[in-house]
Amino acid sequence: MKYVLYRFPNAVRHPENSNPELYGIFKFPVKGQVVGVEFGSSIGEVTDELIHDVNDELSEAYPKCQVMTYVPSDEMYGLEVLTNESFDYEMQGIVVDKSKPVNTIIYFGVKEMDE
């Protein structure tokens, strides 16, 4: 299988006690950008590589910050706010900027395709 990783812009805010929503100049649907492709027999087999791809992408975009990544999940949380495109998995990259009061969440979508 081929697993294609898409990065979405920082376009979702998380108001306190409310569902996530688009903000700023962004209009639904937002398009993701392909930032990685991994090959394997299952999502479990490529999870480490996908995490590495997300961490590399965020480390380059936010060089003075700490980054972390959640494993792929088949539950969509942020992607449903961003796009009407169908994804098999969602990943969240977390950017920790000590100069800001809250962390930044960057959403990634993963499409599972035949090779």
Side-chain angles (χ1 to χ4, degrees):
M1 300 295 288
K2 176 167 64 171
Y3 295 87
V4 182
L5 180 67
Y6 295 78
R7 178 188 175 177
F8 286 83
N10 181 15
V12 177
R13 70 176 175 183
H14 300 268
E16 195 170 321
N17 301 320
S18 184
N19 291 328
E21 61 188 20
L22 281 179
Y23 75 96
I25 62 169
F26 298 99
K27 302 287 183 221
F28 184 85
V30 178
K31 292 287 185 191
Q33 175 185 1
V34 174
V35 293
V37 177
E38 300 297 342
F39 295 90
S41 61
S42 69
I43 189 68
E45 186 177 306
V46 298
T47 293
D48 288 343
E49 288 85 359
L50 290 169
I51 289 171
H52 184 65
D53 292 343
V54 171
N55 286 341
D56 284 352
E57 179 72 18
L58 294 179
S59 293
E60 187 175 309
Y62 301 91
K64 296 183 180 189
C65 300
Q66 179 184 1
V67 298
M68 299 173 277
T69 303
Y70 286 102
V71 298
S73 171
D74 57 3
E75 291 184 34
M76 304 300 153
Y77 182 70
L79 289 182
E80 64 187 18
V81 174
L82 287 163
T83 186
N84 56 2
E85 218 174 323
S86 178
F87 287 90
D88 297 294
Y89 304 95
E90 174 179 292
M91 296 179 74
Q92 297 175 6
I94 310 301
V95 179
V96 181
D97 183 342
K98 295 185 189 237
S99 69
K100 295 185 178 178
V102 295
N103 297 335
T104 301
I105 302 172
I106 306 295
Y107 290 95
F108 291 78
V110 180
K111 289 186 180 182
E112 184 178 80
M113 304 174 181
D114 292 328
E115 288 184 53

